[in-house]
Amino acid sequence: MIKKINKKGIALPFNWLFAIVAGGTILFLAIFAAGKFIRTSEQTIYTETAASLISLFDPLETGLASGKAYEIGFKKKSKIFFGCNENLNPPFGKQTIFFSEQTFGETYGEVGKEVSIKDKYIFSKEVVEGEKVYVFSKPLFMPFKINDIVILTSSDDKYCFYDSPEEIKESLEGLNLKNIVFVNETLVCNGINVCFKEKRKCDIVVNENQGQVLNKLYKKRVYYAGNLIYGAIFSSPEIYECNVKRIKNKFDELANVYLDKIKVIEREGCQSNIGQKLSKVLGPINDSRELIGLYNEVQEIDSINRLEKSGCQLYYNAEFE
């Protein structure tokens, strides 16, 4: 005997199966959409945070020789990524900043979008990680003021300064930076060893006589002049070299303004050879090594400018030495 198939008995499990598959698909899409929304929200927040960081650098513009400093705290351990390209945004080049923070455990969220920095010179490592960052600024004169340079370090990085010149010690101690310690031979300091005399295991060696900093952590040497010594010590060589080229471009733009001013004051009977000397040092540099020759030239320009009679000085600048 052939039994009749109960079609209703087959239809019920199929409906359940369809509901399970459809429900699973909807749930998957909902989870996917929620995850994408969270990632998008995170990325938006991180992008806004990066932009906010840039605005926090504005009060560091001093106009003074002493500089300013403060700390920035985050709710969670965070990472700040810095990039630099001297060829973009001509003639000044630009830096970029990205931000991210820990979400679950030690896992970091998706990095925010790139935010451009066009009018500042931030010297730091390429990746700065920590719950706090310390930021300070120093004015840069060559011989007229070029800009304020900003130094950014992590609270996770402790710097041990050995045999530091009194001028450097006074300059940094006055800023009350918590991750910089000045030590002598009898004290033990666990951190990044910055040595002004190579006697011990040094991570960074500063040679003031030759205006150079050897960073053994990166196995690279850079050159500095004036307050750029701080950028040379605290930033990665790549960021440093890029910013030095950007600074030289800014120097050239300002020098051209002063060259135009020379034409104006010459009508008032002022005569000097500063214009020839300024014109001589215009043009891009290949790397920081060329800072040494440039600095010697601008010192000579400054000496001539100081000797000019009142009304014939090209610029007024008591800070440059």
Side-chain angles (χ1 to χ4, degrees), residues 33 146 171 187 206:
I146 305 298
S171 176
L187 297 178
V206 182

Side-chain angles (χ1 to χ4, degrees), residues 30-66:
I31 293 172
F32 175 79
K36 187 174 182 180
F37 174 77
I38 291 171
R39 289 194 299 273
T40 303
S41 298
E42 280 183 350
Q43 191 177 62
T44 300
I45 292 170
Y46 296 160
T47 303
E48 291 174 349
T49 302
S52 298
L53 279 171
I54 298 172
S55 66
L56 289 175
F57 298 150
D58 289 339
L60 290 168
E61 295 181 0
T62 63
L64 305 173
S66 57

Side-chain angles (χ1 to χ4, degrees), residues 24-37:
T25 302
I26 293 171
L27 181 61
F28 170 78
L29 291 174
I31 293 172
F32 175 79
K36 187 174 182 180
F37 174 77

